[in-house]
Amino acid sequence: MSDSDLYATHTVENQPQVLLPYNLWSADRMLVHAVQQNHSDLPTSTLTDFGNIAGDQLMNAGELANKNKPHFQPFDRYGRRIDNVEFHPAYHELMGEAMTAQVHAYSWKNESTTGSHVIRAALLFMHSQADAGTTCPLTMTHAGVAALRNAPDLPRYWADKVISGEYDPRSIPASQKRGITLGMGMTEKQGGSDVRRNTTRADIQADGSYRITGHKFFFSAPMCDAHLILAQSTKGLSCFLLPRILEDGSLNHVRIQRLKDKLGDWSNASSEVEFQGATAHLVGEEGRGVPVIIDMVSLTRLDCMIGSTSLMRQALVQALHHTQHREAFGAKLIEQPLMKNVLADLTLEVAASLALTMRVARAVDLAKANQHEAHLSRIATAIGKYWICKRTPAFVNEAQECLGGIGYVEENILPRLYRQAPLNSIWEGSANVQCLDVLRALRKEPEAINALFVELQKAVGKNSAYDKHIENLKAAFDEQETLEIRSRLLVEQMALALQGALLLNADDKDMAEAFCLARLGKQQGLVFGTLPASVPFDEIIQRGKLEN
């Protein structure tokens, strides 16, 4: 016996191997099913190719980019102001692969093809599991195209280079770049979501451009090539495109004050800035900045749904992997009744969130040509953004608990997912803002609530608990004077109704019946893992497992 054997204290056993790389598309039957429910003609090679990259190369890059936060360099070595943010190479790798795969622009590049927003949602869903931080500039670049179409006087290269598909991080004028990225700067210290309180000023110049003076409290992805901002002109709150580098190669007068020290989202930078007479160009009509931004917000809120659902999906992957290979008290964790309840409940939540997310993507896709889909996307986006994003933090924590103490250790992905989980419920309008937006739609756009109930009616008669829930939901609108104070519960019930309808119509009886029994029939508690004993746990858990 060697000395090493003599003094060995233990061997490592009953521990899972590290989860190996896998294809985030072809191995994920839940994602494939949800996408197929909303788009039949899938570009399989596009999805499979990116799924392979995201599940291997980008998973590793996401880990590195989050361990090496962006670094702010206000001055060069000689004291000149450069306002540079330096990123780890892994950040650029994530951005480059994502833009090559058209995560930021697939829906625009394939605009004439039905289902382009659904496919783009699937691409972003996969990317967000590898790294959520880079989804911020990808999302804003994607949504910014909707705003740029309100600015016909802008040079064509702004919109063209957004859709080009090439990531070009060089600090040069946008006209000289192979591709450009867009950020956003809406909120200020005194206003937050109440953007009409913004004080930043826009003064028109002789050449038609504007000088911007003021500040932004959240200026996301400060190294983007341009930002869409809101500022007060003589006619009111207006939207502007503000380049980072001017056409003569000089730095625009945007001064980064500091980077935000955020809870999560570490791979990406968020900043506070001051505008000291910065040059910008009007987007849309002067005084009509909010309507321009609304077109963007509907897309960024959909991305919040996609991002939160992807966090839940990856957390479930980690929980299932661990419990399949860890034994306690004489059996694998995944075989034990109480753990089955937890895992089935988590799987149910992912299925419902994916169904709603992809349905909203389809509504956005069809909105231009179909009034029902346009009204549905208007209200369902706010409903889904509220509910899915609120569910994510508790979900990820439950998944961590499946791993025990290892789930709390930074050597695996779950602590990163947990830090990321609250972000989407705050970004692009907090929960209260979403609820107020739903109420605004109810009062000003009655077609929206009609579209919602048309959608819900499609599942009536398929489940008694669902039918009863719809009756109660209709009755909840009767007390108009208390709608606002009850709006969180009301929007929750609307979200559950939509999820129930989609699952009932998706040809998966086990999943649909379990959802309706637990979520709508109220036969469960207030935490995950409290499903009734009659649920087919093994069948539901099987849906969440990765395919070999």
Side-chain angles (χ1 to χ4, degrees), residues 10-161:
H10 71 287
T11 57
V12 178
E13 58 182 351
N14 193 28
Q15 285 283 9
Q17 296 294 325
V18 174
L19 179 63
L20 294 174
Y22 68 97
N23 191 300
L24 290 181
W25 169 254
S26 59
D28 190 348
R29 76 190 80 189
M30 297 182 78
L31 175 59
V32 173
H33 179 72
V35 172
Q36 286 176 336
Q37 288 292 310
N38 292 282
H39 183 49
S40 57
D41 186 17
L42 301 182
T44 305
S45 61
T46 297
L47 296 165
T48 302
D49 289 349
F50 187 66
N52 202 40
I53 293 170
D56 185 0
Q57 177 185 343
L58 297 193
M59 282 289 188
N60 294 327
E63 191 70 22
L64 284 172
N66 280 275
K67 285 180 177 177
N68 298 274
K69 296 181 183 180
H71 177 65
F72 177 38
Q73 300 171 315
F75 304 98
D76 70 9
R77 69 184 65 181
Y78 296 108
R80 297 182 183 89
R81 190 81 193 218
I82 57 174
D83 286 292
N84 182 60
V85 179
E86 182 178 358
F87 293 91
H88 188 270
Y91 173 91
H92 298 297
E93 182 181 1
L94 286 158
M95 288 294 295
E97 292 293 345
M99 291 183 71
T100 297
Q102 294 290 308
V103 173
H104 71 300
Y106 186 93
S107 54
W108 305 122
K109 202 157 190 173
N110 299 274
E111 197 169 6
S112 60
T113 304
T114 302
S116 61
H117 280 278
V118 176
I119 302 306
R120 188 259 168 186
L123 292 169
L124 184 66
F125 181 83
M126 291 187 280
H127 180 85
S128 296
Q129 292 181 69
D131 175 60
T134 44
T135 62
C136 176
L138 293 169
T139 284
M140 293 185 297
T141 300
H142 174 254
V145 175
L148 293 182
R149 291 180 171 180
N150 290 288
D153 294 334
L154 278 177
R156 277 287 304 272
Y157 64 75
W158 281 107
D160 291 346
K161 290 174 184 287

Side-chain angles (χ1 to χ4, degrees), residues 94 134 136 150 177 186 207 216 224 228 277 281 318 352 354 374 387 393 395 403 452 476 495 545:
L94 286 158
T134 44
C136 176
N150 290 288
K177 301 192 74 169
M186 305 297 166
D207 63 358
K216 293 297 171 185
C224 287
L228 287 152
H281 308 283
Q318 298 294 326
L354 254 175
W387 182 239
F395 183 105
L403 278 68
L452 174 67
K545 291 180 181 178

Side-chain angles (χ1 to χ4, degrees), residues 386-543:
Y386 167 80
W387 182 239
I388 292 172
C389 297
K390 293 298 282 184
R391 295 289 277 175
T392 306
F395 183 105
V396 176
N397 177 240
E398 196 68 62
Q400 283 181 298
E401 199 169 316
C402 294
L403 278 68
I406 294 175
Y408 199 69
V409 176
E410 293 286 349
E411 288 174 333
N412 75 79
I413 195 175
L414 280 164
R416 169 153 59 100
L417 300 183
Y418 188 60
R419 287 193 303 271
Q420 197 73 32
L423 175 60
N424 285 328
S425 67
I426 299 171
W427 188 53
E428 289 306 305
S430 63
N432 284 356
V433 170
Q434 302 309 309
C435 292
L436 293 173
D437 197 31
V438 171
L439 294 186
R440 189 177 300 111
L442 295 178
R443 289 165 178 159
K444 294 187 175 181
E445 303 172 47
E447 300 90 350
I449 190 64
N450 293 337
L452 174 67
F453 277 103
V454 166
E455 198 71 15
L456 298 179
Q457 190 65 32
K458 295 176 183 178
V460 168
K462 295 186 176 183
N463 180 277
S464 58
Y466 175 83
D467 293 349
K468 181 64 175 176
H469 183 84
I470 299 304
E471 290 177 15
N472 293 336
L473 181 61
K474 290 177 179 176
F477 291 95
D478 292 341
E479 298 178 32
Q480 292 288 315
E481 66 279 3
T482 63
L483 273 182
E484 182 171 333
I485 204 166
R486 293 187 292 115
S487 60
R488 279 198 175 208
L489 180 59
L490 181 62
V491 175
E492 174 183 318
Q493 297 306 309
M494 295 163 84
L496 291 172
L498 270 171
Q499 289 179 324
L502 292 167
L503 291 177
L504 285 168
N505 290 325
D507 303 321
D508 191 336
K509 185 176 180 181
D510 288 337
M511 199 76 77
E513 293 293 332
F515 182 90
C516 292
L517 180 66
R519 305 289 199 270
L520 306 183
K522 308 299 183 186
Q523 294 192 37
Q524 69 171 143
L526 298 178
V527 299
F528 289 106
T530 56
L531 296 173
S534 60
V535 164
F537 298 103
D538 291 332
E539 289 79 0
I540 291 173
I541 291 170
Q542 190 64 32
R543 307 291 199 282

Side-chain angles (χ1 to χ4, degrees), residues 115-402:
S116 61
H117 280 278
V118 176
I119 302 306
R120 188 259 168 186
L123 292 169
L124 184 66
F125 181 83
M126 291 187 280
H127 180 85
S128 296
Q129 292 181 69
D131 175 60
T134 44
T135 62
C136 176
L138 293 169
T139 284
M140 293 185 297
T141 300
H142 174 254
V145 175
L148 293 182
R149 291 180 171 180
N150 290 288
D153 294 334
L154 278 177
R156 277 287 304 272
Y157 64 75
W158 281 107
D160 291 346
K161 290 174 184 287
V162 166
I163 302 172
S164 72
E166 291 192 61
Y167 177 58
D168 186 349
R170 295 176 297 167
S171 292
I172 58 176
S175 61
Q176 300 175 28
K177 301 192 74 169
R178 298 187 300 272
I180 59 178
T181 55
L182 300 175
M184 291 168 61
M186 305 297 166
T187 61
E188 299 179 8
K189 297 182 182 73
Q190 72 285 348
S193 296
D194 187 2
V195 294
R196 295 194 182 278
R197 297 190 67 169
N198 284 7
T199 59
T200 294
R201 188 178 75 250
D203 299 309
I204 193 167
Q205 305 300 296
D207 63 358
S209 67
Y210 288 75
R211 294 288 185 192
I212 309 296
T213 306
H215 81 281
K216 293 297 171 185
F217 201 41
F218 281 89
F219 196 70
S220 295
M223 297 308 288
C224 287
D225 297 295
H227 285 74
L228 287 152
I229 69 161
L230 290 174
Q232 301 284 0
S233 69
T234 55
K235 295 184 179 180
L237 196 62
S238 306
C239 182
F240 298 90
L241 180 75
L242 188 147
R244 188 168 69 86
I245 305 295
L246 300 177
E247 279 306 298
D248 63 4
S250 64
L251 192 66
N252 204 353
H253 294 285
V254 179
R255 299 293 173 253
I256 299 175
Q257 302 304 302
R258 61 171 177 168
L259 300 186
K260 297 287 192 182
D261 188 7
K262 299 171 290 184
L263 170 66
D265 211 48
W266 286 356
S267 63
N268 183 42
S270 300
S271 62
E272 296 176 25
V273 298
E274 289 184 357
F275 305 129
Q276 300 176 356
T279 299
H281 308 283
L282 183 66
V283 176
E285 295 180 36
E286 196 172 351
R288 298 280 296 167
V290 172
V292 172
I293 294 303
I294 288 298
D295 288 339
M296 294 177 58
V297 166
S298 65
L299 295 173
T300 54
R301 286 179 177 174
L302 169 58
D303 281 11
C304 289
M305 296 169 62
I306 298 167
S308 289
T309 305
S310 76
L311 293 178
M312 289 193 281
R313 181 54 175 137
Q314 185 54 219
L316 176 61
V317 166
Q318 298 294 326
L320 288 170
H321 174 73
H322 183 87
T323 56
Q324 286 178 87
H325 297 92
R326 175 78 165 176
E327 184 180 293
F329 311 114
K332 298 291 186 185
L333 288 175
I334 199 169
E335 297 169 356
Q336 300 187 19
L338 196 50
M339 182 60 80
K340 283 185 181 183
N341 200 321
V342 172
L343 294 172
D345 210 355
L346 295 178
T347 304
L348 204 59
E349 191 69 25
V350 172
S353 296
L354 254 175
L356 180 51
T357 296
M358 292 302 169
R359 180 63 184 93
V360 171
R362 174 156 64 99
V364 170
D365 210 18
L366 301 174
K368 284 187 177 180
N370 186 307
Q371 283 298 303
H372 167 75
E373 298 292 336
H375 295 310
L376 181 65
S377 69
R378 166 70 181 91
I379 195 167
T381 300
I383 292 170
K385 200 274 190 189
Y386 167 80
W387 182 239
I388 292 172
C389 297
K390 293 298 282 184
R391 295 289 277 175
T392 306
F395 183 105
V396 176
N397 177 240
E398 196 68 62
Q400 283 181 298
E401 199 169 316
C402 294

